[in-house]
Amino acid sequence: MATETAVKPLTAFGYVTFDVVGTLIDFEGAIKDGLAEIAAKENVDVDGEAALSVYRDARYEPGAGLFPDDLGRCYSRIAEAFGLPDTEEYRQLMIERVGDAKPFADSAEAMAKLKARYKLIAMTNARRWAFEKYAEKLGQPFWAGFTTDDTGCEKPNPDYFQQVFDYVAKDGGTKDDILHTAQSQYHDIGISRELGMTNAWIQRRHAQKGYGGTIEPKEYTEPDYHFHALIELAEAADKAFEA
């Protein structure tokens, strides 16, 4: 599935910025797998999708920490909801499992294709230690990478985006040269529209109900480009450049 409503063709950009967790990396799958591992040890049934809802609510409580370190605290909320033991061992297990989350099946191939066309920039709400693991699994496609350790804030804070704009400016580019690509309406698509960027929504959960582990936006933002998988964007870019 691919929908294009952008006024700019894909050939107009020199940079593509990416949300990483949820767009390139399957963090929801890692949360479910970690919980399934714990549940099997404790002989407890845990509904993965229901657990993601608890995680989402916990993730946005006052005093939430940085991802994925905050999985320990969030696990405590999940443990309480599903009758799992809340131990330091299991808290650490969840942090490690999400820190080692795998890319979506199409991510590495798509990023390799896009790297041949653009300078790729990571904009992740993950900490640097986790991002470095994710980047390695993706084949090190990034020209530059920004994490919460670098920016001191999380998306959708406009200051995060401004730091990226400033970095691109040193390379001779502007925000008009950037295509912002992400799955989160709340963290990325809405704010990128407010900031005047062109965006591409990778709707990873198109076949599932709800927002999973990602906070629900106050309102839906119509993206400039809309794909169900990242490989669709990469193939569209190849087609545009080869036309």
Side-chain angles (χ1 to χ4, degrees):
M1 182 273 184
T3 301
E4 303 174 11
T5 61
V7 295
K8 288 184 179 180
L10 292 173
T11 53
F13 306 101
Y15 311 85
V16 182
T17 48
F18 290 90
D19 166 59
V20 176
V21 177
T23 303
L24 309 179
I25 298 294
D26 184 10
F27 84 104
E28 293 185 352
I31 290 175
K32 290 179 179 179
D33 288 346
L35 290 174
E37 182 178 343
I38 294 170
K41 291 180 179 180
E42 300 297 334
N43 196 29
V44 175
D45 291 329
V46 175
D47 183 302
E49 280 295 310
L52 287 179
S53 295
V54 177
Y55 164 78
R56 182 182 64 239
D57 292 341
R59 189 69 182 92
Y60 299 100
E61 291 174 349
L66 296 178
F67 180 94
D69 295 21
D70 198 41
L71 258 296
R73 186 188 64 84
C74 293
Y75 170 73
S76 294
R77 305 295 189 274
I78 296 171
E80 180 181 5
F82 292 95
L84 294 168
D86 182 10
T87 67
E88 186 59 35
E89 176 188 357
Y90 286 159
R91 291 185 183 192
Q92 190 60 38
L93 183 151
M94 290 302 299
I95 294 170
E96 292 173 358
R97 292 298 180 273
V98 177
D100 284 326
K102 299 176 182 179
F104 289 100
D106 66 327
S107 292
E109 178 186 359
M111 293 298 279
K113 285 178 173 288
L114 291 167
K115 184 179 180 180
R117 306 291 185 186
Y118 311 98
K119 291 180 177 179
L120 309 184
I121 304 173
M123 293 178 62
T124 179
N125 278 354
R127 299 197 65 184
R128 172 63 58 175
W129 73 263
F131 168 66
E132 289 178 354
K133 288 189 174 186
Y134 300 152
E136 181 66 25
K137 292 177 181 179
L138 290 165
Q140 298 292 0
F142 297 109
W143 174 70
F146 290 79
T147 74
T148 51
D149 289 321
D150 307 310
T151 62
C153 62
E154 295 183 331
K155 298 172 297 176
N157 191 327
D159 289 345
Y160 195 126
F161 286 79
Q162 188 58 54
Q163 291 182 51
V164 176
F165 298 160
D166 292 344
Y167 188 88
V168 168
K170 294 177 182 178
D171 191 52
T174 72
K175 69 178 180 181
D176 293 335
D177 300 313
I178 302 171
L179 175 67
H180 188 58
T181 303
Q183 67 85 27
S184 176
Q185 280 273 327
Y186 173 79
H187 293 99
D188 293 274
I189 301 303
I191 184 62
S192 61
R193 172 56 45 75
E194 289 179 22
L195 294 175
M197 302 177 76
T198 302
N199 56 40
W201 184 30
I202 310 302
Q203 191 185 6
R204 289 292 190 185
R205 289 182 57 89
H206 63 275
Q208 299 166 282
K209 295 181 179 180
Y211 285 84
T214 303
I215 195 168
E216 184 174 351
K218 291 182 179 179
E219 59 184 11
Y220 171 79
T221 299
E222 184 70 31
D224 297 300
Y225 290 90
H226 183 186
F227 303 99
H228 281 173
L230 188 66
I231 194 65
E232 294 176 355
L233 169 60
E235 291 172 347
D238 282 348
K239 182 178 180 181
F241 276 96
E242 293 166 2

